[in-house]
Amino acid sequence: MRFHIMTLFPEIFNSYMNESIMKRAVEKGIIEVNIYNIRDFSTNKHKKVDDYPFGGGAGMVMTPQPIYDTYKHIIDKFDIKEPRVIYLTPKGEAHNQNIASEMSTFEDVILLCGHYEGIDQRIIDSIVTDEISIGDYVLTGGELPALILIDSISRLIPGVLSQNESFEEESFKDNLLEYPHYTRPREFMGMEVPEVLLSGNHKKIDEWRNEKSIEITKERRPDLYKKACK
């Protein structure tokens, strides 16, 4: 799978993609991450990529030309026939595990990172296929949300996670949050590991974990709990 990132701040991605699971996935050739500096595609002699908004108002808006030319470069270079372009924005659909799962089946995903007050609407109307939000809050730019999408999508691609890192029993499976985990030592600061986890009875362990998942979901995410009960 190939991720294509359109951004004004390409250096933000380097450290994260060169660590841990993401680094191994890239080295194995399971995922490919291509980063494009939108400023490099500006035809302005000063490489300007923003301007004042029509109608007035605070802040600056990213101009359409550099973004479109970056996009055109990507689809031409990789011969992408039906590009999936994700714009990271608080106005978008809330990202979730189902969206990540769907996107993990794509061959190419183009991520557009906005900045300043946003991007010219004509870019959204002409090339963007999905607008995605990672939460009801505003960030400085789309780079952190893009990293979150890359991570959440990549870990669902076969071969990215090892058997010990399997996503099969993580949170949001069957709309339930994940159960608690324990490791050595058996006692820490007077707190003991639940006896059932030491019993060796896998049926009882599975039952305990399921009960805890239900309990935690009901308490913390009643919206998910309702879906799980259907």
Side-chain angles (χ1 to χ4, degrees), residues 66-108:
I67 299 173
Y68 184 81
D69 284 3
T70 308
Y71 160 80
K72 192 71 167 56
H73 171 79
I74 295 168
I75 62 171
D76 287 348
K77 180 178 180 179
F78 293 94
D79 193 27
I80 303 173
K81 301 300 184 185
E82 297 181 3
R84 198 69 178 257
V85 182
I86 317 298
Y87 174 44
L88 290 314
T89 169
K91 296 187 293 184
E93 179 183 4
H95 188 51
N96 58 42
Q97 194 75 354
N98 289 334
I99 292 174
S101 181
E102 179 194 0
M103 291 185 180
S104 70
T105 64
F106 300 160
E107 184 174 345
D108 290 273

Side-chain angles (χ1 to χ4, degrees), residues 11-211:
E11 62 278 2
I12 288 176
F13 295 89
N14 294 329
S15 60
Y16 191 83
M17 297 310 302
N18 283 314
E19 297 291 341
S20 188
I21 293 170
M22 294 296 103
K23 180 181 180 181
R24 296 202 306 267
V26 171
E27 289 175 344
K28 290 178 181 177
I30 301 172
I31 67 171
E32 178 181 320
V33 180
N34 302 302
I35 305 171
Y36 308 86
N37 190 334
I38 295 170
R39 199 176 299 277
D40 291 341
F41 294 84
S42 174
T43 57
N44 181 281
K45 66 178 181 179
H46 301 297
K47 294 299 181 182
K48 187 175 173 63
V49 294
D50 63 335
D51 213 325
Y52 295 102
F54 282 121
M60 305 288 277
V61 176
M62 291 178 66
T63 55
Q65 176 273 314
I67 299 173
Y68 184 81
D69 284 3
T70 308
Y71 160 80
K72 192 71 167 56
H73 171 79
I74 295 168
I75 62 171
D76 287 348
K77 180 178 180 179
F78 293 94
D79 193 27
I80 303 173
K81 301 300 184 185
E82 297 181 3
R84 198 69 178 257
V85 182
I86 317 298
Y87 174 44
L88 290 314
T89 169
K91 296 187 293 184
E93 179 183 4
H95 188 51
N96 58 42
Q97 194 75 354
N98 289 334
I99 292 174
S101 181
E102 179 194 0
M103 291 185 180
S104 70
T105 64
F106 300 160
E107 184 174 345
D108 290 273
V109 170
I110 301 173
L111 299 169
L112 172 56
C113 304
H115 218 72
Y116 311 120
E117 287 301 306
I119 66 176
D120 191 295
Q121 181 64 36
R122 289 167 292 186
I123 282 294
I124 299 173
D125 294 340
S126 58
I127 71 170
V128 170
T129 58
D130 304 85
E131 294 183 70
I132 297 294
S133 167
I134 62 162
D136 296 335
Y137 46 86
V138 178
L139 296 173
T140 304
E143 285 73 22
L144 290 177
L147 279 171
I148 288 172
L149 256 70
I150 292 170
D151 192 302
S152 65
I153 294 168
S154 295
R155 61 191 293 110
L156 299 176
I157 299 173
V160 169
L161 297 183
S162 67
Q163 187 174 0
N164 290 335
E165 298 163 334
S166 174
F167 61 83
E168 291 296 331
E169 295 185 3
E170 292 182 330
S171 287
F172 307 111
K173 182 178 183 292
D174 300 325
N175 292 306
L176 293 176
L177 300 181
E178 196 172 15
Y179 50 78
H181 295 277
Y182 296 87
T183 187
R184 293 171 176 78
R186 290 178 59 167
E187 184 272 333
F188 177 70
M189 295 179 62
M191 295 177 285
E192 298 278 352
V193 174
E195 280 297 324
V196 65
L197 299 180
L198 308 173
S199 68
N201 188 324
H202 294 292
K203 184 175 184 296
K204 288 189 177 298
I205 290 172
D206 289 343
E207 290 173 352
W208 179 87
R209 287 173 169 170
N210 186 58
E211 288 171 3

